Amino acid sequence: MALLAEEIVEEWLNRQGYFTIRGIRLGVNEIDLVAVKFRSGESPVCRHVEVQASMRPVSYISKVPKAARKTGRAANSAARSPEELVEGVAEWVEGKFHATKKRSLMEILWSGEWSSELVINNVKSEQEVELIAEHGIIIHRLPDIVRELKINKFPIKSAAGSDFIDLLQMGANTQQDALPDAPSSRR
C-alpha cells in the first residue's frame, strides 16, 4: 500500500512541475520523496515528503518514546499518555525529517530551504496529526490529492504514474456508476 500511495503522491508532484526522487535509501533510513521545482530567475522550491497511507490504522504514526520502550513497552503500543504522545511525536519528527543523514543529502541536492511534508490517509489519532503539524510539518490528505489529480488543473497533464492514476479513477468511476443500480444487501 505504501508504495502505491507514494506513486500517487509522486504523480501529483510531477504534474505540478516537480522533479522527484522516490525511495532514497540511507542505511536503515529512507526518504519517501524529494521534489524540486525550478523557476526562471528564482531559487528552486524544494520539498521533503513522507507518506503514511494506512487504510485501517491500528496504531499511531509515531512510536512510543525511547525511554518507555527501554522499560519493555512495545514500540507500537496503542496505550499512550498525553506526555508520551508528545514525546513520541517529537522523536518521530526528528528521525523522519531532521536526521543528520537526511539533512546532509538534501544539502547536497540543494543548500536552500526544504519544506517538510507528510501525506496521510486514515489515522488513529487526529491529535497526533496536530502535534506533528506543530513541528512545522505540512500535512496533506491522500483523498485530497486524489481529488486534485481527478480535476487535473496542473501544467503537466500526465507523467510516469498516469496509467496507475487512470486505473484508480476508472475503478472509482465504475463503482460510482454501479452503486445506484446495485441491489441493496441491507433489508
Side-chain angles (χ1 to χ4, degrees):
M1 176 66 177
L3 291 176
L4 297 176
E6 287 174 20
E7 189 170 338
I8 291 168
V9 174
E10 184 175 33
E11 179 71 11
W12 175 67
L13 292 164
N14 290 160
R15 289 185 187 190
Q16 294 175 63
Y18 285 90
F19 294 93
T20 57
I21 304 173
R22 182 164 46 111
I24 301 170
R25 303 267 184 218
L26 298 166
V28 296
N29 294 312
E30 180 183 349
I31 297 174
D32 290 343
L33 286 151
V34 293
V36 179
K37 181 192 240 180
F38 298 96
R39 297 182 188 167
S40 181
E42 296 180 29
S43 293
V45 178
C46 302
R47 301 167 74 173
H48 170 190
V49 182
E50 293 292 335
V51 180
Q52 298 281 326
S54 180
M55 293 300 290
R56 291 169 292 285
V58 294
S59 188
Y60 292 86
I61 295 168
S62 62
K63 294 182 187 231
V64 170
K66 289 178 185 174
R69 290 194 311 249
K70 287 181 181 177
T71 66
R73 293 268 305 281
N76 293 322
S77 174
R80 300 188 190 179
S81 69
E83 296 80 18
E84 287 176 329
L85 186 57
V86 168
E87 189 178 336
V89 164
E91 289 175 3
W92 181 85
V93 167
E94 181 63 30
K96 202 53 111 161
F97 292 100
H98 306 301
T100 304
K101 286 183 180 181
K102 292 179 181 185
R103 285 291 171 193
S104 295
L105 175 65
M106 288 186 280
E107 184 74 19
I108 290 168
L109 296 173
W110 176 256
S111 62
E113 286 292 315
W114 285 80
S115 66
S116 297
E117 304 178 36
L118 175 64
V119 175
I120 57 174
N121 191 37
N122 295 331
V123 295
K124 180 174 180 63
S125 168
E126 286 296 328
Q127 179 186 10
E128 181 184 36
V129 174
E130 291 170 15
L131 289 169
I132 292 169
E134 287 175 11
H135 286 272
I137 309 303
I138 300 164
I139 306 295
H140 302 281
R141 303 283 176 157
L142 189 58
D144 295 337
I145 289 171
V146 171
R147 268 190 293 284
E148 287 181 34
L149 286 165
K150 186 172 185 173
I151 295 167
N152 201 10
K153 292 188 177 182
F154 298 112
I156 297 168
K157 297 303 175 193
S158 69
S162 63
D163 288 344
F164 176 62
I165 300 304
D166 290 344
L167 282 171
L168 179 70
Q169 292 173 347
M170 181 176 64
N173 291 338
T174 302
Q175 283 182 330
Q176 288 175 347
D177 293 343
L179 287 178
D181 299 329
S184 175
S185 60
R186 296 183 196 182
R187 293 194 188 234

